[in-house]
Amino acid sequence: MTVRREIRVDGKDNYILDAVPQSNGTYRVYARLHPPDRHGRGGHHHHLMPGGKICVSAGSEPRTAAAAMKIGKCWAQGWSQYQRTGRFPGS
């Protein structure tokens, strides 16, 4: 079952995150709502892929909805920083 969370970062950026179970026992994380990409640097920089999928390293895919949401929240915090500075943390 897909788990959806609405979060707010820094009191101003709204996000809707989905953790979607996969047949192999892992979850994919999607950002269904997020501020637009003001800098246009691409998924290789900010980890947001087409369709809203949040990129997770192969072998590090979450195995619980809670772990998927933790990844999503961390990504949302990085996305908010990227919007303000043009730099995604760790990139």
Side-chain angles (χ1 to χ4, degrees):
M1 176 172 81
T2 297
V3 175
R4 176 168 279 185
R5 295 281 187 269
E6 296 180 22
I7 66 168
R8 187 169 207 156
V9 174
D10 296 335
K12 49 189 152 189
D13 297 330
N14 296 312
Y15 296 85
I16 295 177
L17 303 172
D18 286 347
V20 181
Q22 304 299 295
S23 61
N24 66 356
T26 64
Y27 282 79
R28 284 192 181 158
V29 186
Y30 291 89
R32 302 299 188 193
L33 174 73
H34 56 82
D37 183 358
R38 297 181 202 172
H39 305 286
R41 297 190 66 189
H44 65 280
H45 182 78
H46 54 57
H47 312 286
L48 183 63
M49 305 320 244
K53 181 181 172 192
I54 297 171
C55 184
V56 176
S57 297
S60 296
E61 297 90 348
R63 295 206 161 268
T64 66
M69 283 299 153
K70 187 174 182 178
I71 289 169
K73 184 176 180 182
C74 183
W75 173 85
Q77 291 168 336
W79 184 263
S80 287
Q81 182 176 334
Y82 167 69
Q83 292 307 303
R84 288 169 193 38
T85 67
R87 186 166 186 273
F88 195 91
S91 293

